[in-house]
Amino acid sequence: MTSTLQSRTSWEDLRSDFPILGQKVHGHPLIYLDNAATSQKPRAVLDCLNHYYERDNSNVHRGLHELSNRATEAYENARKRLAAYLGASADEIIFTRGTTEAVNLVARTWGEANIGPGDVILLTEMEHHSNLVPWQLLAKRQGATLRFVPVTPDGRLDLEGFDRLLDGPVKLFSFVHISNTLGTINPARELCARARAAGVATMVDAAQSAGHLPLDVREIGADFLALSGHKMCGPTGIGILHGRRDILQDMEPFHGGGEMIASVGFTESDFKPAPYRFEAGTPAIAEAIGLGAAADYVDAAGRDRIFTHDQALALQAIALLEEIPGVRILGPRDVRGGLVSFVLASAHAHDVVSMADQYGLALRGGHHCTQPLMRKLGVPAAARASFYFYNTPAEVEQFAAIIRRIHTFFA
Ligand code: PLP
């Protein structure tokens, strides 16, 4: 597939791989700008899912027949593919349902073993609820405390006091790589290095970065990293937890059940090594294989190029939105991920998004699962346009024209 893609690398050609984008919504051509919520799927991923169900569908790791062997091989190849995608080893790749489950897995296993009364879990004020609520639950269970790296008014992490925050009984620093609300790109490598120097473990929420820029877990240097397949052209219900091998091997299981055991007695069991001890029950086999196809697709399109393209669309959107009187853009103006959250003085975000839908424009509106951040910014709700490589500058112009029309309607 890589060679086919490389011979047709224009964005227009790539866009034509996404059947869903060709439709009309409410009589208008669909402009899909809700990619931070979930991305669309190329034909290569859809065909991969179909192929699996039409030819190979079987359970993995337990069969002694041809179909089961094929399914197992495809599932384990997907693990290897995702390892290569992240610069990791296959035994460090745990399939989860997504970023949320990956964070919960770490909180339940590593967290319960390593975080106790009086310890501190350091987060940032820009975390998605997925990288906040699991730590709140853990802190409550263990008698630990949460602390937060502040966010500046222009939407960056205030790193001035960072080393001081790392001081004391801090056991873990978990942070978002690209904020789904602000678009801020946090300096993951530097943050992990500073945390490591202070003896603090690290976790990176790469939900918004994994499909949009090159990621190398060794270079970033985090102990854990989580991503969601559906945000990088893959199916829903599948994601990755990457963990350093030496840490994973010492961790207790997350869920108990079939597949994760070495041997079971009536009162006690032994478990397989990582990553299998963390994958209890029948896994999301087709979805994992589909995620492998998505990784192929995104890599063939080129993550460097995708980042440049998405960022250019975001900056174009900001420039056009700023021509609208009373518009407020959340987050940094220069370097950012491919998304823009904004507030119109004239209309509530829900009205903006509902009205945009009537023009076939798919946006997101609300608190974007970052309620504490939105409260801090004094913004009850924002509309968000989020871009991917199949979006075009012409779509951004149409988006801005629609938002201007909505502003005029409500002003
Ligand atoms: N973290 C960030 C930054 C996100 O944007 C999201 C989803 O929007 C998540 C975590 C949670 O991802 P999932 O719902 O796929 O588990």
Side-chain angles (χ1 to χ4, degrees):
M1 188 191 63
T2 303
S3 58
T4 319
L5 267 176
Q6 277 170 347
S7 61
R8 15 185 302 278
T9 48
S10 81
W11 297 120
E12 290 74 19
D13 280 344
L14 291 177
R15 182 181 169 94
S16 69
D17 288 336
F18 292 77
I20 201 169
L21 297 176
Q23 67 183 292
K24 287 192 170 182
V25 170
H26 303 306
H28 299 272
L30 169 66
I31 304 175
Y32 185 79
L33 301 185
D34 196 15
N35 295 288
T38 199
S39 67
Q40 297 303 346
K41 322 303 171 198
R43 224 179 278 280
V45 171
L46 303 176
D47 288 350
C48 170
L49 294 172
N50 253 340
H51 180 275
Y52 170 75
Y53 278 123
E54 285 180 1
R55 290 206 24 166
D56 301 333
N57 178 48
S58 190
N59 215 325
V60 288
H61 299 146
R62 48 179 90 149
L64 290 173
H65 57 80
E66 170 66 18
L67 263 55
S68 177
N69 291 338
R70 275 193 228 152
T72 302
E73 194 182 339
Y75 181 72
E76 290 305 325
N77 280 342
R79 194 189 307 278
K80 287 182 199 146
R81 182 63 192 88
L82 268 297
Y85 189 83
L86 294 173
S89 310
D91 59 358
E92 297 175 318
I93 298 294
I94 299 164
F95 284 118
T96 65
R97 281 192 295 138
T99 303
T100 305
E101 189 175 73
V103 178
N104 278 280
L105 189 162
V106 176
R108 274 278 173 192
T109 55
W110 184 91
E112 288 191 357
N114 290 280
I115 294 175
D119 285 342
V120 171
I121 302 162
L122 183 60
L123 307 172
T124 82
E125 287 181 342
M126 62 171 81
E127 295 314 313
H128 189 282
H129 298 164
S130 294
N131 193 32
L132 171 60
V133 179
W135 304 118
Q136 291 175 344
L137 294 170
L138 176 70
K140 201 168 237 177
R141 281 197 303 276
Q142 305 295 96
T145 305
L146 299 176
R147 272 196 221 146
F148 298 88
V149 181
V151 171
T152 60
D154 72 339
R156 297 171 209 270
L157 287 183
D158 181 354
L159 294 177
E160 202 142 283
F162 183 56
D163 292 325
R164 241 177 299 121
L165 278 168
L166 286 171
D167 216 16
V170 183
K171 287 289 156 62
L172 174 75
F173 174 46
S174 187
F175 65 96
V176 70
H177 192 191
I178 296 184
S179 161
N180 63 303
T181 300
L182 302 168
T184 314
I185 306 172
N186 290 317
R189 197 169 115 181
E190 179 197 337
L191 294 174
C192 289
R194 282 165 76 172
R196 195 177 334 111
V200 173
T202 48
M203 174 154 199
V204 177
D205 169 356
Q208 294 295 344
S209 58
H212 293 260
L213 47 77
L215 273 188
D216 184 310
V217 290
R218 305 261 182 266
E219 196 184 312
I220 291 173
D223 295 306
F224 300 104
L225 181 140
L227 64 83
S228 295
H230 67 96
K231 293 184 199 286
M232 47 171 281
C233 294
T236 51
I238 190 76
I240 298 291
L241 170 65
H242 170 265
R244 264 183 34 207
R245 183 189 292 116
D246 52 323
I247 300 179
L248 291 182
Q249 297 304 346
D250 285 343
M251 274 163 49
E252 289 294 312
F254 178 36
H255 295 141
E259 293 276 307
M260 48 78 75
I261 48 83
S263 77
V264 176
F266 278 116
T267 56
E268 274 195 64
S269 303
D270 294 322
F271 309 114
K272 284 182 179 159
Y276 305 105
R277 72 164 53 184
F278 302 108
E279 294 178 6
T282 300
I285 304 165
E287 290 79 359
I289 296 168
L291 179 54
D296 278 344
Y297 190 87
V298 170
D299 263 349
R303 279 183 273 169
D304 277 319
R305 285 174 79 215
I306 290 174
F307 175 70
T308 309
H309 175 86
D310 297 353
Q311 180 173 243
L313 295 185
L315 297 180
Q316 181 194 355
I318 290 175
L320 291 171
L321 284 172
E322 281 184 331
E323 292 172 6
I324 300 172
V327 79
R328 178 176 170 192
I329 308 289
L330 306 186
R333 293 303 153 83
D334 42 13
V335 179
R336 56 152 64 222
L339 63 94
V340 180
S341 298
F342 61 97
V343 183
L344 291 188
S346 49
H348 191 279
H350 288 156
D351 293 328
V352 173
V353 173
S354 305
M355 205 159 160
D357 176 56
Q358 296 309 304
Y359 293 100
L361 171 60
L363 301 174
R364 196 70 159 189
H367 52 63
H368 307 295
C369 293
T370 52
Q371 280 186 5
L373 171 69
M374 299 291 277
R375 267 188 221 112
K376 163 144 185 172
L377 297 174
V379 180
R384 181 183 71 193
S386 51
F387 308 100
Y388 213 3
F389 56 86
Y390 40 69
N391 293 125
T392 65
E395 284 185 313
V396 177
E397 276 173 31
Q398 286 158 4
F399 149 77
I402 292 167
I403 300 301
R404 182 174 276 283
R405 230 173 287 162
I406 294 171
H407 161 71
T408 307
F409 179 84
F410 282 106

